[in-house]
Amino acid sequence: MNKKIGFIGCGKMAQAIIGGILKSKAVTPGHIIATAKTKETLADVKNRLGIEICFSNKQAAVETDILFLAVKPDLHSAVIDEIKDYIKPGAIIITIAAGISLDYLEKAFGQKIKAIRSMVNTPSLVGGGMSVIAANTLVSAEDLEEVIQIFSSIGRAEVMEEKMLDAIPAISGSSPAYVYMFIEALADGGVKAGLPRKQSYQMAAQAVLGAAKMVLETGKHPAELKDQVCTPGGATIEAVAELEKKGFRAAVLSAMEECYDKTKALSDNNK
């Protein structure tokens, strides 16, 4: 990729994306520039990743072909006001913040821009992320392929219509938190049965990882894979029956509805 990529804000998620880009060799460290508020953050990033750093958001905007707005939602307005007159013609602007719509970006910049709205999750930090992106009409097929290449470097990437993005946090953005709770509960069950805590976490986490890979790599319906584990009259079907009795599915669905409502409210406030 013969493009320069910029990051305004260089927190953990931005660093994960930068690390993925460099690991995939999509560009060299010299083709990435990042800004941050503190000298400590920039020095650390420079030492570990070898990328270009600066304190000037305007400089990052002037130099880059693909510019990530990697700041919190409430900082977008101030950052965009600062850089909107300095972005390169034809630059692709990407937000990774929840609730920042394409329409918001277009209005805030006050000009026609190539805009991408994305939703990423924390497993991106270990290359196991799920990213969903939506683009406005000015983003070409070639532009989109380059953006997909970037997000694929930290896991899987999917392109969807923007109207669907408010539902994404509940299923992939926030859901790692639910899974961590599930892993913790599994480990507690192992400890209750007499297993050491460390090994209980390892076995629970590996079981979840393996089950997820089975869904992704076999293409089979999760219900079919569940049935393969549940032998007639066995222990697993007893456990599944107890989960159903305690409202396991209903609790997950209810949690996702709450998450969606909160995300939708944030999005509505940024239109």
Side-chain angles (χ1 to χ4, degrees):
M1 185 187 302
N2 189 27
K3 298 289 179 68
K4 188 155 188 178
I5 305 172
F7 290 81
I8 293 181
C10 204
K12 288 185 178 180
M13 196 58 68
Q15 291 179 39
I17 298 171
I18 294 168
I21 294 170
L22 295 177
K23 188 175 181 180
S24 71
K25 301 187 186 303
V27 299
T28 62
H31 279 77
I32 300 177
I33 184 171
T35 72
K37 286 184 176 180
T38 68
K39 291 181 179 179
E40 291 76 15
T41 297
L42 288 180
D44 175 61
V45 169
K46 175 68 174 178
N47 290 334
R48 286 190 298 105
L49 303 175
I51 64 171
E52 185 180 344
I53 58 172
C54 69
F55 283 103
S56 171
N57 293 334
K58 292 177 183 177
Q59 180 183 339
V62 166
E63 293 186 12
T64 54
D65 304 292
I66 300 173
L67 182 62
F68 280 83
L69 303 182
V71 295
K72 295 178 180 180
D74 60 347
L75 295 178
H76 272 59
S77 179
V79 167
I80 292 171
D81 280 344
E82 181 184 359
I83 68 170
K84 63 183 180 182
D85 295 326
Y86 297 89
I87 60 172
K88 289 179 69 173
I92 303 170
I93 310 298
I94 305 174
T95 178
I96 64 172
I100 300 296
S101 68
L102 295 174
D103 184 61
Y104 173 90
L105 289 176
E106 292 168 353
K107 289 178 178 177
F109 275 93
Q111 58 182 295
K112 292 183 177 181
I113 58 166
K114 295 180 178 181
I116 297 278
R117 178 181 174 185
S118 68
M119 295 298 304
V120 296
N121 63 9
T122 56
S124 300
L125 295 167
V126 293
M130 181 68 239
S131 303
V132 180
I133 60 178
N136 71 357
T137 56
L138 294 180
V139 176
S140 69
E142 183 180 352
D143 293 332
L144 196 55
E145 281 302 313
E146 290 180 334
V147 173
I148 291 170
Q149 182 183 354
I150 290 172
F151 283 104
S152 294
S153 71
I154 54 171
R156 292 174 180 256
E158 194 77 40
V159 179
M160 301 187 79
E161 294 181 58
E162 187 184 15
K163 65 182 181 181
M164 299 181 181
L165 260 64
D166 287 334
I168 300 305
I171 193 169
S172 70
S174 301
S175 62
Y178 327 153
V179 177
Y180 299 143
M181 292 174 70
F182 180 52
I183 291 172
E184 185 179 27
L186 288 174
D188 284 345
V191 172
K192 185 178 180 182
L195 297 174
R197 171 67 65 181
K198 181 178 179 180
Q199 284 82 355
S200 291
Y201 278 127
Q202 290 178 345
M203 286 184 281
Q206 183 61 40
V208 171
L209 175 63
K213 289 187 70 174
M214 287 286 286
V215 173
L216 292 172
E217 295 181 12
T218 66
K220 292 182 178 180
H221 193 287
E224 181 182 355
L225 294 171
K226 178 207 69 179
D227 289 348
Q228 291 175 1
V229 186
C230 296
T231 56
T236 305
I237 192 63
E238 290 291 340
V240 168
E242 186 65 15
L243 287 172
E244 295 286 14
K245 189 189 302 181
K246 299 296 186 183
F248 181 71
R249 293 173 193 255
V252 172
L253 288 170
S254 180
M256 292 179 70
E257 288 173 3
E258 292 293 325
C259 187
Y260 171 77
D261 289 344
K262 180 67 173 182
T263 303
K264 188 68 168 61
L266 287 171
S267 184
D268 289 343
N269 288 335
N270 287 309
K271 286 184 177 178

